[in-house]
Amino acid sequence: MLNYNHLRYFWMVAREGHLTRAAELLHVSQSSISAQIQKLEHQLGHDLFERRGRGLVLTEAGQIAFDHANEIFSTGDELLNRLSRKTGDVRTVLRVGALATLSRNFQISFMRPVLESASVEIVVRSGSLGELIPALETHRVDVILVNQVPLKDAATSWTAHILDQQEVSIVGTPQRVGNVRDMEHLLRDHPIILPTAEVGFRNSFDALAERLNLRPKIIAEVDDMAMMRVLAREDIGLAVLPPIVVTDELANGRLVEACKLPGIYETFAALTLKQKFPNPALKFLLGQ
């Protein structure tokens, strides 16, 4: 039988992120908490924390134990609420990290299969790769969604799953594009909104312009696809982006796709760790 007293001690330390604070809340000594957690680790057969400097970080098994502890104690609260005619739901957690610059439409399309599930709660965190990869490695997110796969070496712990490749197009308002569909004329005659160099397909666009001996008039370089969408919609210029970014605007006619750029694609991928205890919702989304 699982010792729920040991589990609650572990849960308090994991929740507070600090042994001293948990001991104060539980009104017990730090040594007592440490002993209880060691007994729980022995019973489960896995370390639940690892020490990083002066702090404690959950291991993969620790994060799973913490998720289940949240459910267990939430279920206890739900019992009390149910008998007092209150309502409450208990849901499993899928933590998704996404580059802050990534298309929101793509993020939603990835998560849509579980968005309406009664058994899954999704937590989305946005940030840079420098912020998200450490979160993945310490099991604070289950997956990172990116539009440019980072360089990998023998020391890299994550795996990249290619989810989709989208063609990149020139997009603008119907008034600006008119009946013109010739790529070179569009790039030569109109101000152009481009992603910054950090976006995967920007280098391919620059190479294409060089091959064609074109010097587009760049009106804006933007690292946020949502901002590119707004600028295009406000007719600041023609935007170079994947159509998925402006799905709604293309559907309602506020923007039109003038032409595709030959050989230029944006790659969407999911970065994950190899786990002994994979999140079932993530396995479903990745088709595993």
Side-chain angles (χ1 to χ4, degrees), residues 188-212:
R188 186 181 295 115
D189 298 341
H190 296 274
I192 302 299
I193 304 161
L194 289 175
T196 56
E198 292 78 13
V199 175
F201 66 84
R202 172 60 190 272
N203 185 64
S204 298
F205 174 84
D206 291 342
L208 174 65
E210 186 174 337
R211 285 198 305 272
L212 297 175

Side-chain angles (χ1 to χ4, degrees), residues 5 14 31 47 63 75 80 87 93 108 135-136 147 193 197 210 282 288:
N5 192 48
S31 60
D47 291 338
Q63 184 63 61
T75 300
L80 296 175
T87 59
V93 178
I108 291 172
L136 180 67
N147 57 350
I193 304 161
E210 186 174 337
L282 179 58
Q288 296 177 340

Side-chain angles (χ1 to χ4, degrees), residues 21-285:
R21 176 61 179 157
E24 291 173 352
L25 292 173
L26 292 167
H27 304 290
V28 297
S29 67
Q30 293 184 41
S31 60
S32 176
I33 290 184
S34 295
Q36 303 293 342
I37 292 175
Q38 287 174 6
K39 290 178 181 178
L40 179 62
E41 289 176 326
H42 178 73
Q43 183 179 17
L44 296 177
H46 298 281
D47 291 338
L48 301 177
F49 293 104
E50 61 181 47
R51 187 165 290 281
R52 297 276 181 91
R54 295 183 178 180
L56 292 174
V57 176
L58 287 171
T59 63
E60 179 188 346
Q63 184 63 61
I64 292 170
F66 182 60
D67 289 343
H68 280 282
N70 277 328
E71 290 185 34
I72 288 167
F73 297 126
S74 293
T75 300
D77 291 338
E78 186 182 18
L79 171 62
L80 296 175
N81 291 336
R82 180 74 175 270
L83 295 181
S84 61
R85 299 188 178 182
K86 297 178 181 178
T87 59
D89 293 321
V90 179
R91 312 179 75 187
T92 30
V93 178
L94 174 65
R95 296 177 176 85
V96 178
L99 288 182
T101 58
L102 192 65
S103 162
R104 275 46 171 184
N105 287 339
F106 171 73
Q107 294 179 47
I108 291 172
S109 69
F110 174 76
M111 296 182 289
R112 189 177 299 281
V114 296
L115 279 176
E116 296 182 1
S117 171
S119 61
V120 179
E121 176 184 347
I122 294 181
V123 178
V124 180
R125 295 189 175 98
S126 297
S128 66
L129 269 181
E131 295 166 332
L132 293 175
I133 286 182
L136 180 67
E137 292 174 340
T138 54
H139 313 291
R140 288 179 285 125
V141 297
D142 300 300
V143 59
I144 304 173
L145 300 179
V146 299
N147 57 350
Q148 183 175 9
V149 179
L151 295 176
K152 185 175 181 179
D153 56 32
T156 302
S157 56
W158 47 260
T159 299
H161 307 264
I162 304 302
L163 302 174
D164 194 10
Q165 278 193 322
Q166 292 277 334
E167 293 179 294
V168 174
S169 299
I170 298 174
V171 173
T173 61
Q175 298 80 7
R176 180 176 292 278
V177 173
N179 295 320
V180 179
R181 294 297 182 268
D182 182 80
M183 177 186 66
E184 293 189 36
H185 286 168
L186 291 166
L187 293 176
R188 186 181 295 115
D189 298 341
H190 296 274
I192 302 299
I193 304 161
L194 289 175
T196 56
E198 292 78 13
V199 175
F201 66 84
R202 172 60 190 272
N203 185 64
S204 298
F205 174 84
D206 291 342
L208 174 65
E210 186 174 337
R211 285 198 305 272
L212 297 175
N213 197 28
L214 291 172
R215 291 190 176 182
K217 179 185 176 183
I218 301 172
I219 193 70
E221 293 182 86
V222 185
D223 68 357
D224 184 350
M225 288 292 166
M227 179 57 73
M228 291 187 68
R229 171 181 170 181
V230 171
L231 292 174
R233 201 167 58 202
E234 295 299 314
D235 201 23
I236 303 303
L238 296 176
V240 175
L241 43 70
I244 192 173
V245 175
V246 289
T247 300
D248 294 341
E249 287 80 0
L250 293 176
N252 62 32
R254 293 190 67 178
L255 294 174
V256 296
E257 183 181 3
C259 67
K260 299 185 186 302
L261 297 179
I264 300 182
Y265 300 89
E266 182 168 39
T267 299
F268 296 98
L271 307 184
T272 65
L273 291 180
K274 184 177 181 180
Q275 296 181 324
K276 292 184 286 186
F277 314 102
N279 187 306
L282 179 58
K283 287 184 67 177
F284 174 72
L285 290 175

